[in-house]
Structure formats: structure tokens, C-alpha cells
Amino acid sequence: MAVVITIDGPSGAGKGTICQLVARKLGYHLLDSGALYRLTALAAQNQSVDFSDEVALAAVAASLDVVFKPAESGVKVVLAGEDVSRAIRQEVVGMNASKVAVCQKVRDALLQRQRDFQQSPGLVADGRDMGTTVFPDAEVKVFLTASAEERAQRRVLQLEQSGQAADYDQILLDIEARDKQDTERTSSPLK
Ligand code: C5P
């Protein structure tokens, strides 16, 4: 089996940037598992699926028509023919992703899709449960974190640099809410 390096941690810790750099340097494949939860949330939003309907959410996750295309800026994410690379990065989609990620049926529906990324010569996997649930036998497991305040500050800078308004206090509250949801859920919590 191809080598796997997992990098887990809370949102905004810098996992995405580091995973991209490591994957590029080693010539490995890259799995952004958070994107799959974000895509499920976005597709559910678009199809007006009730977020408390676990069966419907799992059906959305199982039928995601997504393609990850290598691009100069990283990876282009195409959902049902539409470039959603920017849309899935919105704060509201991140919060909704955290809501759908609580659902075990959604996690089950996405499990094999994530494991399919394990291809030669190797994989760098970014997420919350890469080392614990998806790739428990990974050769290298990293837990990357930073304080909530530092992560909120980075997010503010990121938003401002892309010309969007950013409210530090609100972003800090959102990060703390997402941390709580991701660490306290029963299905594959962040640990
Ligand atoms: O990493 P990112 O912020 O894109 O992830 C969005 C949300 O998806 C997280 O807050 C988390 O709830 C969920 N997620 C997860 N398991 C993963 C990756 C992401 O539950 N492996």
C-alpha cells in the first residue's frame, strides 16, 4: 500500500497550507477531507435538504458529483460541473460542514471515497480523523494546532487580503463553536 501521512487538527491551524507543501515536495497525492464535508453541506444547501434529516444528508454525501482538478492556485473543486472552489470556503459553509459532519451516516458515506485517495507513491491527508479513523495505519501522524485567538487572527488577515470584511470577535466565536462541535461529537471526534 502507498505511504500515508496524516495531518489532523482544528480549523485554521494551517493544515491545508502545510499539507499542500508536503505533498508538492514529496510528489504525493493530497486529500483535503474537509472539502468533502464542505461539499456535502453546500450540495445539501443547494438542494434545500433539511440538516436534521440524516438519511437525506447521507444520500447527498454518497452521490457527490465532484472532481478535484490540479490548478496553479492549488486544487480546483468542481461540483456537478460548477467551479465551487471559492464557494466552499465561505464561513457559513464551514459551519454547515461541521453540522453535517456530526452525522455518522454522512461519515460512512464519505469513508471509502477518502480511502480511495491512497495511491502510489503516497498520500498526505488533511482533516480531523485522518489518523484515528480513515487511515489508522498511517506511517506518520501529525496533530497540528494553535490557539483559537491565533487562528482567528490568521482568518481575519486571510479575509482582509481577499478584500472581504472580517469581524475578529465574531470569527473567534465561530472558531470556538466549531472546535466544540468537532471535539465533542460522538462520531470520529477530533482528538
Ligand atoms: O477542515 P475544514 O475547515 O475544511 O473542515 C470543515 C468541517 O468539516 C470541520 O469543521 C469538521 O466538522 C468537518 N471535518 C470532519 N472530518 C474531517 C474533515 C473535516 O468532520 N476529516
Side-chain angles (χ1 to χ4, degrees):
M1 282 296 244
V3 173
V4 181
I5 298 172
T6 61
I7 304 190
D8 288 307
S11 65
K15 302 185 302 298
T17 309
I18 290 184
C19 284
Q20 278 190 24
L21 289 171
V22 174
R24 200 175 306 150
K25 178 129 186 144
L26 297 176
Y28 282 12
H29 298 277
L30 176 66
L31 166 61
D32 173 4
S33 62
L36 292 171
Y37 291 94
R38 287 171 180 268
L39 283 159
T40 303
L42 183 67
Q45 250 170 260
N46 291 347
Q47 294 167 35
S48 305
V49 168
D50 179 351
F51 276 69
S52 62
D53 184 343
E54 296 200 1
V55 174
L57 286 177
V60 170
S63 62
L64 280 181
D65 171 14
V66 62
V67 183
F68 294 96
K69 291 188 179 166
E72 256 179 50
S73 54
V75 178
K76 192 162 132 184
V77 186
V78 181
L79 178 67
E82 189 192 341
D83 183 354
V84 294
S85 315
R86 277 176 71 90
I88 59 165
R89 297 295 155 204
Q90 298 170 84
E91 294 299 310
V92 62
V93 178
M95 287 302 282
N96 285 340
S98 183
K99 285 183 198 152
V100 305
V102 168
C103 170
Q104 184 61 50
K105 288 189 173 67
V106 168
R107 306 197 75 84
D108 292 344
L110 294 177
L111 186 62
Q112 193 54 46
R113 200 189 277 260
Q114 295 173 83
R115 289 189 172 152
D116 289 344
F117 278 75
Q118 184 176 5
Q119 286 177 21
S120 181
L123 173 69
V124 183
D126 165 349
R128 303 291 186 291
D129 62 341
M130 297 295 97
T132 52
T133 305
V134 181
F135 301 108
D137 299 327
E139 278 76 5
V140 179
K141 298 183 183 182
V142 177
F143 187 87
L144 186 71
T145 190
S147 69
E149 290 77 12
E150 179 62 32
R151 290 182 282 129
Q153 194 57 51
R154 286 186 202 167
R155 185 69 186 138
V156 166
L157 277 177
Q158 225 174 29
L159 286 168
E160 286 175 351
Q161 278 164 1
S162 64
Q164 298 175 63
D167 173 351
Y168 173 83
D169 292 331
Q170 186 56 50
I171 287 173
L172 181 60
L173 283 178
D174 287 350
I175 281 185
E176 287 171 343
R178 196 124 72 89
D179 284 357
K180 187 170 159 56
Q181 198 152 263
D182 290 348
T183 50
E184 291 183 0
R185 67 179 179 222
T186 40
S187 306
S188 298
L190 173 67
K191 58 181 177 187

